[in-house]
């Protein structure tokens, strides 16, 4: 019976977003524009950081990895969502569903750890400015990035392997726009207590502890800033951390509200909207948050364009306007 039940479900059906048919084309264009913006915005940040030597610093090393993570994070779900919105067969194979779940966890966790590394970088820069270059050495920065990739790889693999051992019976309809882990557990006809226990334990390690580390870093930063007698110094220090704090608020606000503070009244629509916030909206907004008021990024944009000589009017002493 177990083997037969396991072979019954060879694919899942993604219900997608609760959008009325007459509005489907409008939302399709909207989501397509959001995805293209996410890809182009994050690619631009990666290219600028790679090409401009002025941005070869610890903060921008972390930012380039964060942009790559955002690009991939959005690409895990958006192409499939766009395809399903124009298709009459919103199905995904069993291996494809597990693969999507793996990469969704992988890049979501990677962003989580990179935000911690960026918070530590800001902590050292503000609290120990004279020792910044010594503490944030290239070896330490590379170690933090590699560690983030390794930890997320093992964490995503753990949940994927635990999910692969479960059996799925006749019900194969996922009320979501991607293969969400909690939605899959509800469909399983196996005992999911081990999976739920691992989710609870690893959720604390992967989400709560990094979040607390970020809070501790900024508590020390605020304490250090308040000791600065100059109002200009305070404003400059806060502006340095403003972009990172905005991203942290967007990411953790939705993730904690959805996964760590569940409510019995949470409807499927509410869960889907919150998932859209951290899986689609946040990766799209990050390039704007980090570049619109970032003098280094604007300066790099001007220098790269001047170097390529594609916009010569920017080179005639006007690069400073980007700074």
């Amino acid at each position: 019976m177990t083997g037969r039940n396991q072979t019954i479900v060879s694919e899942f059906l993604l219900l997608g977003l609760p959008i009325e048919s007459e509005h489907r084309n409008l939302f399709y264009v909207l989501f397509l524009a959001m995805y293209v913006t996410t890809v182009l915005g994050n690619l631009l940040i990666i290219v600028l950081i790679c090409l401009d030597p002025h941005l070869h610093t610890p903060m921008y090393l972390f930012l380039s990895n964060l942009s790559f993570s955002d690009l991939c994070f959005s690409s895990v779900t958006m192409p499939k969502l766009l395809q399903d919105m124009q298709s009459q067969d919103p199905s995904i194979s069993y291996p494809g569903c597990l693969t999507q779940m793996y990469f969704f966890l992988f890049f979501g966790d990677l962003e989580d750890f990179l935000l911690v590394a960026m918070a530590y970088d800001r902590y050292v820069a503000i609290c120990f400015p004279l020792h910044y270059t010594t503490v944030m050495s290239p070896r330490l920065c590379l170690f933090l990035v590699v560690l983030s990739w390794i930890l997320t790889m093992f964490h995503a693999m753990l949940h994927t392997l635990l999910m692969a051992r479960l059996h799925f019976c006749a019900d194969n309809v996922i009320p979501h726009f991607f293969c969400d882990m909690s939605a899959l557990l509800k469909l399983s006809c196996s005992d999911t207590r081990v999976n739920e226990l691992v989710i609870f334990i690893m959720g604390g390690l992967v989400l709560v502890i990094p979040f607390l580390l970020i809070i501790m870093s900024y508590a020390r930063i605020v304490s250090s800033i308040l000791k600065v007698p100059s109002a200009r110094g305070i404003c400059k220090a806060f502006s340095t951390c403003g972009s990172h704090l905005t991203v942290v608020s967007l990411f953790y606000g939705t993730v904690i509200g959805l996964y760590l503070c569940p409510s019995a009244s949470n409807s499927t629509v509410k869960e889907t909207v919150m998932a859209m916030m951290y899986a689609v909206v946040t990766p799209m907004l990050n390039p704007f948050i980090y570049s619109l008021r970032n003098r280094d990024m604007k300066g790099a944009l001007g220098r790269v364009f001047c170097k390529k000589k594609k916009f010569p009017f920017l080179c005639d002493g006007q690069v400073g306007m980007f700074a």
Side-chain angles (χ1 to χ4, degrees):
M1 177 66 70
T2 298
R4 188 177 65 189
N5 286 342
Q6 192 172 9
T7 58
I8 289 177
V9 174
S10 60
E11 63 180 18
F12 295 96
L13 297 179
L14 297 171
L15 289 186
L17 301 174
I19 301 174
E20 297 180 1
S21 57
E22 58 268 23
H23 299 147
R24 187 171 296 271
N25 289 334
L26 176 63
F27 277 94
Y28 177 82
V29 174
L30 174 63
F31 292 142
L32 179 61
M34 292 172 64
Y35 179 59
V36 171
T37 302
T38 301
V39 172
L40 295 180
N42 285 289
L43 276 178
L44 178 61
I45 289 181
I46 295 171
V47 169
L48 288 178
I49 293 174
C50 291
L51 294 181
D52 192 348
H54 295 85
L55 300 182
H56 294 174
T57 62
M59 181 176 70
Y60 291 105
L61 170 66
F62 298 138
L63 179 56
S64 63
N65 279 268
L66 182 68
S67 294
F68 179 77
S69 175
D70 282 334
L71 192 158
C72 296
F73 191 38
S74 183
S75 297
V76 170
T77 57
M78 285 301 288
K80 179 59 178 172
L81 172 62
L82 293 171
Q83 176 189 345
D84 291 345
M85 292 181 71
Q86 295 295 308
S87 172
Q88 300 299 322
D89 181 28
S91 62
I92 183 171
S93 66
Y94 176 78
C97 191
L98 290 184
T99 301
Q100 187 185 56
M101 190 193 80
Y102 170 81
F103 283 108
F104 185 84
L105 291 171
F106 179 88
F107 289 111
D109 293 342
L110 181 59
E111 179 160 349
D112 184 23
F113 284 107
L114 289 173
L115 289 174
V116 177
M118 295 175 76
Y120 179 71
D121 174 77
R122 295 299 84 204
Y123 162 71
V124 176
I126 293 176
C127 297
F128 306 98
L130 299 180
H131 302 283
Y132 178 76
T133 55
T134 303
V135 175
M136 298 302 297
S137 63
R139 178 177 295 183
L140 176 62
C141 296
L142 182 61
F143 171 76
L144 291 176
V145 171
V146 172
L147 180 63
S148 299
W149 281 79
I150 292 176
L151 290 177
T152 53
M153 179 183 67
F154 281 109
H155 178 249
M157 183 60 69
L158 172 63
H159 286 297
T160 305
L161 292 177
L162 287 175
M163 187 67 67
R165 73 182 182 87
L166 299 180
H167 302 151
F168 295 90
C169 303
D171 191 3
N172 68 336
V173 178
I174 301 177
H176 222 307
F177 65 94
F178 68 97
C179 291
D180 182 58
M181 184 165 54
S182 59
L184 286 174
L185 288 178
K186 294 176 183 178
L187 294 181
S188 175
C189 52
S190 301
D191 186 354
T192 61
R193 285 179 294 181
V194 174
N195 296 67
E196 293 168 356
L197 179 62
V198 173
I199 290 173
F200 178 78
I201 296 175
M202 297 305 296
L205 295 176
V206 175
L207 281 177
V208 177
I209 292 181
F211 182 68
L212 292 178
L213 290 175
I214 293 176
I215 295 298
M216 290 172 57
S217 296
Y218 276 100
R220 296 291 300 272
I221 288 174
V222 170
S223 176
S224 177
I225 288 175
L226 294 178
K227 297 178 182 178
V228 179
S230 170
R232 182 179 178 183
I234 294 177
C235 294
K236 184 177 180 180
F238 273 116
S239 65
T240 303
C241 304
S243 299
H244 184 255
L245 275 175
T246 304
V247 174
V248 168
S249 301
L250 284 172
F251 181 78
Y252 279 101
T254 52
V255 172
I256 291 178
L258 182 59
Y259 292 110
L260 298 185
C261 298
S263 172
S265 61
N266 276 1
S267 64
T268 302
V269 175
K270 179 180 177 181
E271 292 179 355
T272 303
V273 171
M274 294 182 70
M276 284 288 294
M277 280 297 299
Y278 75 84
V280 178
V281 178
T282 301
M284 181 190 69
L285 293 179
N286 283 357
F288 296 98
I289 294 172
Y290 278 109
S291 61
L292 283 181
R293 300 190 64 182
N294 189 311
R295 297 180 60 186
D296 294 335
M297 293 298 297
K298 293 179 182 180
L301 185 63
R303 286 189 293 269
V304 169
F305 280 155
C306 290
K307 186 176 180 180
K308 299 298 181 182
K309 300 186 182 300
K310 292 184 178 180
F311 297 88
F313 64 89
L314 294 177
C315 305
D316 299 331
Q318 297 188 31
V319 175
M321 69 181 291
F322 288 94

